[in-house]
Amino acid sequence: LMTLSLGTVAVLASFNASASCEPGEIVIKFSHVTNETSHPKGIAASLLSERVNKEMDGKACMEVFPNTTLYNDDQALEAILSGDLQMAAPSLSKFEKITKKFRIFDLPFLFADVAAVDRFQNSASGDILKDSMVRRGIKGLAFWHNGMKQMSASKPLLLPSDAEGLKFRVQASDVLVAQFEQLGANPQKMSFSEVYGGLQTKVIDGQENTWSNTYGKKFFEVQDGVTETNHGILDYLVVTSDDWWKGLPTDVREQLGTIMSEVTQTRNGESMRVNEENKQKIIDAGGVVRTLTAEQRQAWVDALKPVWKKFEKDIGSDLLEAAIASNK
Ligand code: LMR
């Protein structure tokens, strides 16, 4: 590859992304921000495109743009509405600017584990949430799991007071801002692709993310360690334009819908394993992983519980009760 000119490399790269598109096929561009090979979302998007390109050959073709090569999550939502992009899977935290109901997913220590999240998403509440943005032009197609979030920082985090005064990167979510303010820390909204640089240059001291994101983007390399807090969920909603979706020929929409739900089922069943593998890779690479005693963890729960109160009205008591009940 080193002997190729830059121009040739660019042509090869774009050829690769659109290799399977032929004239007459409906082009489906899917943009996301993670890696493709060892990440729950990246693997799912790759499997989705593989199946679409094989099973819908001649009718539709899917090009996947990973690693923020095309858009960050905010830009992707805009691009879907303007018709430049057909699909993306932003994390659920990114939707609060469209509907405040999505704040449910960011409440700290609400969901006990991914299984509880799965039950909630696959209930009537999940269907309501998927359709809640149609009035704004966005249709939710499927919830994809990543996993539970862990916290990392430039110093050991064992008690809530350890976070005091530190600057934490948060996703674009006011709930996550409130969460770190509750700890006496300074939250800063920042896009995913800027986190590594922010940690490295000490613009921020810490961040919260899943094992697959913390390993995949090497955040652990520029942190003192990662504490296994499992304090919240980081999941995704695969979204498209409601107009575009409705405008598809019926057979195309149905086949795409079927492939989407099969890929969702297959990959959601693997997300916990993928995150465990990423956790192990952090340890194998010499990263520090800290676990909390039951007492320490309870201190975090107690410290962060008041955050719920601030958002109960936005979310609605029905939805909150349904989420709590999913922990059964
Ligand atoms: C983040 O912004 O930290 C995550 O939403 C990135 C992702 O897509 O997993």
Side-chain angles (χ1 to χ4, degrees), residues 227-252:
T227 302
E228 184 156 22
T229 47
N230 290 315
H231 63 283
I233 181 74
L234 195 155
D235 262 13
Y236 308 107
L237 185 63
V238 183
V239 287
T240 187
S241 146
D242 191 51
D243 283 346
W244 180 81
W245 184 251
K246 280 196 205 127
L248 289 174
T250 308
D251 63 320
V252 171

Side-chain angles (χ1 to χ4, degrees), residues 5-175:
S5 73
L6 271 183
T8 317
V9 174
V11 168
L12 282 179
S14 63
F15 176 74
N16 189 36
S18 56
S20 54
C21 290
E22 295 146 22
E25 288 181 324
I26 296 167
V27 176
I28 309 166
K29 289 191 194 164
F30 190 128
S31 163
H32 69 84
V33 301
T34 72
N35 76 61
E36 294 182 275
T37 48
S38 62
H39 188 283
K41 175 163 60 179
I43 298 172
S46 301
L47 177 61
L48 182 70
S49 70
E50 256 172 55
R51 288 199 48 187
V52 166
N53 291 333
K54 188 159 159 231
E55 295 164 39
M56 301 185 74
D57 190 30
K59 285 193 269 188
C61 120
M62 183 174 285
E63 307 169 355
V64 180
F65 299 86
N67 286 315
T68 321
T69 43
L70 200 52
Y71 301 115
N72 69 26
D73 283 335
D74 283 347
Q75 294 163 339
L77 287 172
E78 296 294 324
I80 283 177
L81 289 174
S82 65
D84 294 324
L85 180 71
Q86 288 68 45
M87 283 186 199
S91 69
L92 302 176
S93 312
K94 315 269 168 57
F95 293 104
E96 72 156 21
K97 62 167 116 23
I98 307 180
T99 166
K100 296 200 167 100
K101 290 207 174 305
F102 270 75
R103 291 184 159 163
I104 184 85
F105 292 107
D106 282 341
L107 294 184
F109 296 107
L110 170 56
F111 295 104
D113 50 26
V114 177
V117 175
D118 193 83
R119 283 190 289 270
F120 178 69
Q121 290 171 345
N122 286 306
S123 71
S125 303
D127 291 336
I128 290 169
L129 286 167
K130 270 195 253 177
D131 281 336
S132 65
M133 296 179 286
V134 164
R135 71 199 157 82
R136 298 281 299 273
I138 298 281
K139 164 117 188 124
L141 296 175
F143 286 107
W144 281 1
H145 294 323
N146 185 332
M148 302 305 282
K149 289 182 293 184
Q150 324 300 339
M151 280 192 204
S152 72
S154 52
K155 59 178 257 205
L157 297 173
L158 293 172
L159 285 169
S161 55
D162 295 329
E164 238 172 75
L166 298 183
K167 283 181 246 133
F168 280 88
R169 176 269 177 168
V170 289
Q171 303 179 72
S173 154
D174 286 354
V175 182

